[in-house]
């Protein structure tokens, strides 16, 4: 499962320039922008390992190499691929445990493909691959400690649940199924075979409650952003509005097969940018 679908690599390529992430991050001052691109470059690289079709033991070894490199960074001996991170770690107080949590989250997909995890495991997955990214990010944005951690908790889960609902068919093509086991059983779906589950007529009974859960997370993150300085929450606000728009489109489309992809219109993207970027 990818994080932000078009999270950029370090070269700031054309894919990044078309992403909601890039639009949200380019409004930041230089040091904050560079730190955020470093964070997402790291996420993209470890995500690519987890999503590759290489042998599982090789992917596990590659992820362990990243853990070793993170340890070396925080021990004062940064490897070449993390040399540029030293300044950001010091300036913004980025935490070693959050980088490691992201690797742990990516690794959850590697020993075997995730299929219908229980709700507790799904929440742990969301915390590692999304909220841990948020915990790094809010330090860069300059939010107060308590509000930053709380925002990362709620907004990270809102974004990742939206990703899961958007990417049901794509994930099934990778042999993965992130919909929670309890919800599947409640809907009368006993299979955990992704390709069987995605054509079940009862699938909306699984997806709609998950969408409502995501909406609650969006609402709680809005409450936190509303009580903080507008400039400090410009970037997360843009990401929230963009993904909330995706969630609304998914709900309006429905979850019965066949499912057409949803896309936020260019007009909506521009309106989000104009409303929240120039504060």
């Amino acid at each position: 499962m990818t994080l932000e679908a078009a999270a950029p690599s370090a070269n700031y390529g054309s894919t990044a320039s078309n992403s909601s992430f890039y639009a949200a991050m380019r409004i930041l001052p230089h040091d904050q922008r560079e730190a955020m691109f470093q964070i997402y470059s790291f996420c993209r690289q470890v995500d690519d390992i987890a999503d590759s079709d290489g042998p599982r033991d090789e992917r596990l070894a590659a992820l362990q190499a990243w853990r070793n490199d993170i340890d070396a960074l925080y021990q004062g001996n940064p490897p070449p691929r993390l040399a540029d991170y030293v300044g950001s770690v010091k300036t913004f107080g980025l935490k070693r445990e959050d980088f490691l949590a992201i690797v742990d989250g990516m690794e959850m997909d590697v020993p075997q493909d995730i299929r219908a995890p229980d709700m507790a495991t799904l929440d742990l997955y969301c915390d590692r691959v999304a909220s841990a990214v948020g915990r790094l990010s809010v330090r860069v944005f300059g939010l107060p400690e308590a509000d930053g951690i709380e925002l990362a908790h709620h907004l990270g889960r809102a974004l990742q649940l939206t990703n899961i609902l958007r990417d049901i068919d794509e994930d099934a093509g990778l042999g993965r199924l992130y919909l929670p086991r309890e919800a599947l059983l409640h809907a009368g779906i006993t299979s955990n075979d992704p390709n069987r589950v995605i054509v079940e007529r009862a699938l909306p009974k699984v997806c709609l409650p998950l969408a409502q859960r995501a909406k609650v997370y969006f609402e709680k993150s809005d409450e936190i952003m509303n009580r903080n300085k507008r400039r400090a929450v410009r970037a997360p606000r843009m990401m929230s509005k963009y993904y909330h728009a995706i969630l609304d489109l998914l709900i309006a489309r429905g979850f019965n097969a066949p499912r057409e992809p949803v896309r936020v219109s260019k007009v909506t993207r521009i309106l989000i940018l104009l409303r929240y970027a120039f504060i």
Side-chain angles (χ1 to χ4, degrees):
M1 167 65 68
T2 56
L3 295 162
E4 158 60 11
S9 59
N11 64 13
Y12 304 177
S14 59
T15 300
S17 67
N18 292 326
S19 72
S20 60
F21 168 82
Y22 188 83
M25 297 309 131
R26 67 184 302 180
I27 66 174
L28 297 171
H30 178 269
D31 288 350
Q32 290 178 311
R33 184 171 66 249
E34 289 300 302
M36 287 305 302
F37 275 107
Q38 288 166 2
I39 291 167
Y40 274 82
S41 173
F42 167 78
C43 292
R44 185 57 181 263
Q45 291 179 75
V46 293
D47 186 39
D48 284 348
I49 293 170
D51 279 351
S52 78
D53 56 3
R56 294 183 189 272
D57 59 343
E58 292 182 9
R59 285 185 276 163
L60 290 171
L63 290 173
Q64 183 58 46
W66 272 107
R67 288 193 186 91
N68 296 341
D69 283 355
I70 291 296
D71 284 341
L73 170 65
Y74 281 86
Q75 290 165 2
N77 300 300
R81 62 181 173 180
L82 292 176
D84 292 343
Y85 287 56
V86 174
S88 296
V89 167
K90 183 177 181 180
T91 299
F92 300 110
L94 305 182
K95 300 295 186 183
R96 167 182 170 272
E97 56 263 32
D98 291 325
F99 282 110
L100 293 177
I102 294 167
V103 180
D104 290 344
M106 300 304 174
E107 190 176 79
M108 290 174 73
D109 277 318
V110 178
Q112 58 186 11
D113 294 318
I114 290 182
R115 293 191 175 188
D118 60 49
M119 186 62 77
T121 301
L122 176 62
D123 188 67
L124 176 62
Y125 179 78
C126 290
D127 185 80
R128 287 173 169 175
V129 303
S131 292
V133 183
R135 290 192 290 272
L136 292 169
S137 302
V138 293
R139 293 181 180 278
V140 176
F141 299 147
L143 271 77
E145 178 81 5
D147 274 357
I149 297 299
E150 190 177 358
L151 178 60
H153 176 94
H154 292 297
L155 187 55
R157 284 161 169 80
L159 300 184
Q160 193 61 28
L161 289 178
T162 301
N163 270 340
I164 287 170
L165 292 168
R166 180 193 62 190
D167 297 339
I168 290 171
D169 297 298
E170 180 181 343
D171 290 332
L174 297 172
R176 297 173 183 171
L177 177 68
Y178 294 91
L179 300 176
R181 182 185 310 154
E182 296 93 332
L184 290 166
L185 293 175
H186 183 73
I189 301 173
T190 57
S191 175
N192 69 351
D193 180 336
N195 291 309
R196 291 183 61 183
V197 171
I198 63 174
V199 296
E200 287 276 359
R201 297 178 68 177
L203 191 63
K205 295 180 181 179
V206 179
C207 295
L208 286 173
L210 207 61
Q212 292 305 315
R213 180 184 289 260
K215 276 188 169 290
V216 171
Y217 284 130
F218 276 120
E219 290 168 3
K220 290 183 180 297
S221 65
D222 282 343
E223 292 173 6
I224 299 164
M225 289 188 283
N226 288 341
R227 64 177 181 249
N228 280 277
K229 294 179 180 179
R230 293 181 68 188
R231 290 189 67 85
V233 297
R234 288 185 302 168
R237 180 82 79 179
M238 289 174 63
M239 294 292 291
S240 174
K241 294 300 180 183
Y242 178 82
Y243 268 79
H244 205 158
I246 291 175
L247 184 63
D248 288 340
L249 289 170
L250 291 170
I251 294 171
R253 180 207 63 188
F255 294 98
N256 281 312
R259 288 167 290 273
E260 289 294 322
V262 302
R263 292 182 177 83
V264 178
S265 71
K266 184 175 182 179
V267 170
T268 299
R269 295 198 305 269
I270 291 172
L271 289 175
I272 292 171
L273 182 66
L274 290 176
R275 182 171 183 181
Y276 298 106
F278 305 109
I279 299 173

